Amino acid sequence: MRQLFSIRILLALLVVLCAQNLVAQQVQITLGPDEIGENQTWTVTVTVQNDRLKSYDNFPDIPGLQKRGTSSQSSTNIVNGQVSSSQSIIMTYLPQKQGTITVPSFTMTINGTKINVPGKKVKIGAPVQRQQATDPFSRFFNRDPKEDFFGRGETEFVDIKDDAFFALTTNKDNVYVGEGFTATLAFYVSDGNRAPLQFYELGKQLGEILKKVKPATCWEENFNIENIEGEGIQINGKDYTQYKLYQAVFYPLNAERIVFPSVGLEMIKYKVAKNPSFFGQNRQEDFKTFYSKEKVVRVKELPPHPMRDGVAVGDYRLDEKTTTNNIETGQSFSYQFNVYGEGNISSIEKPKLGKPDAFEFYEPNVRQDITRDKGRVAGTKSFSYFMIPREPGQYNLGDYFQWIFFNPKTAKYDTLSSSIKLAVTGESLKDEAISSNDLGSFYDKIGTVDNSLNKMGKPNWLAVFVYGFVAFSLALSAYLFFKK
């Protein structure tokens, strides 16, 4: 009997579950009333029947109404063994002034389903006087005892003070023209922060912020942050989590000072229920804008130098390679002049060559490799030369390859010179260099050909006849024209 009773209970539960699943999911978006007072709120409500509200788009921005935050509701009913449920998310709007506003048509994706909502007009009238209960005991006696456990109908939310800030920082306050400095735009949250915070439409906001932040007088090397992940840091002995939103190294192109203006980042900041309940809504969505402080970086001119306007700025070294140190005239070899270090690798120009009296040089192949990591930009720029010696002898390639730069760490100009020595054997090929410019057998005949003037061949009578006929036709046309 006990086993039969247990089986009946299981079957009953299965029937209830099946009945619940058979009820189709329904999604509905409800707009607020057509007319409200200036001191009243207007709402957009998303309701899902018989399913959880798993995902939904951002609520629309409505001109004339300001978003004030979201709240949620849920209910479950069992009638004759059939279970139905609903869950709602409500966005509350506050009128900005009296008048008639137009709510435009919009589309929201709810649980993967697109819902089209037609627009409407809403009249914002004068403030409405709110009625208050005259019986001081009515609030106590009209309260459902279950509200003490499941949550009261009207929950009071409080704003908790946040311990967070938004800032643009640089690793240097004073730089030379061409010297790189790292700028970081980040949001910082203290480890002791108790206010719930969340990013809001970050991609859209960041695009507008960067239009204001990026200086026009700098070359930019962007670190291209794709995933925003928190990183623990200490500021003045206090622990924070840093969320980097943007980071780049800037290289000033002139001595004009660089000003990063104050910019704002809007965040979702939740208000917390003053008396949290077990099943009720315990937080309410609200917004707060955090502002960064203005940041100025001063730029200094480079010290006087004949090549001040054309040198690279950075901390660089030389790495050079050659296929051989001993070669015969007329034979080719390759030489690599590799500049590596920290700085604006893209702006590095090829080295200045000495007089190529003993060598034939070809334009170099250029390759650059740039690494952006840990707030700095470093890399290598390689110049691969193809050379042919024309004269035998002992040569120091440092006489031919020199590269001048300014080092901001030492505040001095420096020169990278080749230290490779080359031994060239064989015969001189200077004459071959001249003969290699031979223009060919056509020009060799110039000195032997008679340059006296000769008459041209017999006249072409057909051409004479054609020219005469054309002249006669023109004369006849002119005569008839003037005769009229």
Side-chain angles (χ1 to χ4, degrees):
M1 290 294 293
R2 291 182 179 177
Q3 293 180 351
L4 182 60
F5 182 72
S6 300
I7 291 174
R8 288 179 177 176
I9 293 177
L10 290 174
L11 288 174
L13 290 174
L14 288 174
V15 169
V16 172
L17 292 175
C18 290
Q20 180 179 1
N21 291 331
L22 289 174
V23 179
Q25 169 187 310
Q26 295 179 356
V27 180
Q28 184 179 8
I29 298 179
T30 305
L31 301 183
D34 296 338
E35 184 175 350
I36 60 173
E38 187 180 8
N39 61 339
Q40 293 179 311
T41 59
W42 192 81
T43 59
V44 175
T45 305
V46 175
T47 304
V48 176
Q49 300 281 351
N50 307 312
D51 198 358
R52 290 191 306 109
L53 183 58
K54 303 169 187 174
S55 62
Y56 60 93
D57 279 348
N58 293 322
F59 283 86
D61 294 322
I62 303 174
L65 296 176
Q66 183 179 5
K67 290 180 179 178
R68 298 304 298 167
T70 61
S71 59
S72 64
Q73 294 178 351
S74 62
S75 64
T76 302
N77 297 316
I78 303 177
V79 179
N80 296 328
Q82 185 173 356
V83 181
S84 63
S85 63
S86 68
Q87 185 175 357
S88 301
I89 188 79
I90 305 164
M91 172 60 76
T92 301
Y93 295 83
L94 185 67
Q96 295 178 322
K97 61 180 180 179
Q98 296 183 27
T100 300
I101 65 170
T102 300
V103 179
S105 301
F106 62 92
T107 301
M108 288 186 68
T109 302
I110 313 297
N111 287 358
T113 302
K114 288 188 176 181
I115 307 297
N116 296 318
V117 183
K120 63 183 294 186
K121 291 186 180 295
V122 179
K123 182 179 179 181
I124 312 298
V128 176
Q129 185 175 1
R130 295 173 180 171
Q131 296 180 351
Q132 295 181 354
T134 57
D135 184 1
F137 299 99
S138 60
R139 185 176 179 183
F140 176 79
F141 287 107
N142 291 335
R143 189 180 67 195
D144 189 343
K146 295 192 294 296
E147 290 180 351
D148 291 333
F149 181 74
F150 290 102
R152 298 179 181 177
E154 293 184 3
T155 304
E156 182 180 357
F157 295 93
V158 294
D159 186 14
I160 298 178
K161 184 178 180 181
D162 55 78
D163 191 357
F165 65 94
F166 182 48
L168 187 146
T169 57
T170 61
N171 66 332
K172 300 175 185 177
D173 295 329
N174 297 276
V175 295
Y176 286 99
V177 173
E179 179 185 358
F181 66 93
T182 304
T184 304
L185 190 68
F187 190 74
Y188 300 82
V189 182
S190 167
D191 287 1
N193 175 66
R194 293 177 55 246
L197 297 169
Q198 183 178 322
F199 289 114
Y200 171 70
E201 293 186 351
L202 187 57
K204 179 180 178 181
Q205 287 195 76
L206 196 55
E208 295 300 320
I209 289 173
L210 295 185
K211 289 179 183 179
K212 303 175 184 178
V213 165
K214 290 184 179 180
T217 58
C218 291
W219 175 278
E220 176 198 18
E221 287 289 348
N222 195 334
F223 284 80
N224 295 318
I225 297 174
E226 295 181 355
N227 298 318
I228 299 176
E229 299 178 355
E231 179 182 354
I233 63 169
Q234 271 199 348
I235 302 176
N236 298 327
K238 189 174 181 179
D239 292 328
Y240 286 85
T241 299
Q242 179 193 49
Y243 297 91
K244 291 182 182 178
L245 308 181
Y246 169 78
Q247 190 173 53
V249 174
F250 292 104
Y251 301 92
L253 302 176
N254 55 39
E256 192 177 314
R257 73 171 190 160
I258 300 164
V259 179
F260 295 97
S262 172
V263 289
L265 177 68
E266 189 176 29
M267 299 283 293
I268 297 175
K269 181 183 177 182
Y270 292 96
K271 292 182 178 180
V272 179
K274 187 174 183 180
N275 298 312
S277 60
F278 188 76
F279 288 109
Q281 175 73 8
N282 289 326
R283 66 179 188 175
Q284 185 182 60
E285 187 177 272
D286 201 358
F287 295 89
K288 178 178 179 179
T289 301
F290 294 82
Y291 290 93
S292 65
K293 294 181 180 179
E294 180 184 278
K295 179 67 179 179
V296 178
V297 176
R298 291 171 174 79
V299 185
K300 301 175 288 184
E301 290 279 8
L302 295 179
H305 190 275
M307 298 181 63
R308 180 175 70 175
D309 296 331
V311 298
V313 179
D315 187 9
Y316 298 109
R317 301 289 184 271
L318 174 62
D319 177 34
E320 54 180 343
K321 298 176 182 178
T322 181
T323 54
T324 183
N325 294 88
N326 299 281
I327 194 171
E328 293 186 4
T329 55
Q331 293 182 349
S332 63
F333 72 101
S334 62
Y335 169 71
Q336 285 189 1
F337 191 92
N338 304 322
V339 179
Y340 70 94
E342 184 176 354
N344 189 0
I345 306 298
S346 301
S347 69
I348 293 177
E349 298 290 342
K350 63 184 179 181
K352 301 292 183 181
L353 296 181
K355 292 183 179 180
D357 51 353
F359 294 90
E360 184 176 348
F361 293 93
Y362 293 86
E363 277 297 309
N365 296 321
V366 182
R367 174 181 173 179
Q368 70 179 25
D369 297 293
I370 301 177
T371 301
R372 304 169 187 88
D373 187 34
K374 296 180 181 178
R376 57 190 292 267
V377 175
T380 303
K381 195 153 191 177
S382 302
F383 302 92
S384 299
Y385 288 87
F386 183 73
M387 302 166 56
I388 300 177
R390 293 297 181 185
E391 284 292 309
Q394 301 290 327
Y395 297 96
N396 184 358
L397 292 186
D399 296 334
Y400 297 90
F401 294 93
Q402 294 185 351
W403 188 77
I404 301 173
F405 70 100
F406 178 78
N407 191 334
K409 292 184 177 180
T410 61
K412 295 180 180 179
Y413 292 91
D414 202 349
T415 302
L416 300 181
S417 300
S418 173
S419 59
I420 292 179
K421 299 186 182 299
L422 192 66
V424 180
T425 58
E427 298 180 356
S428 174
L429 300 179
K430 277 190 175 182
D431 294 336
E432 286 191 14
I434 296 175
S435 64
S436 65
N437 294 324
D438 187 4
L439 299 177
S441 60
F442 175 80
Y443 293 94
D444 292 340
K445 296 179 180 180
I446 292 179
T448 59
V449 174
D450 185 11
N451 62 352
S452 59
L453 298 175
N454 294 322
K455 293 182 178 180
M456 296 183 65
K458 296 181 180 181
N460 189 337
W461 294 110
L462 178 60
V464 173
F465 174 76
V466 172
Y467 294 149
F469 178 75
V470 172
F472 174 75
S473 300
L474 291 173
L476 180 61
S477 300
Y479 171 74
L480 294 175
F481 176 80
F482 286 110
K483 185 178 181 181
K484 290 182 180 181

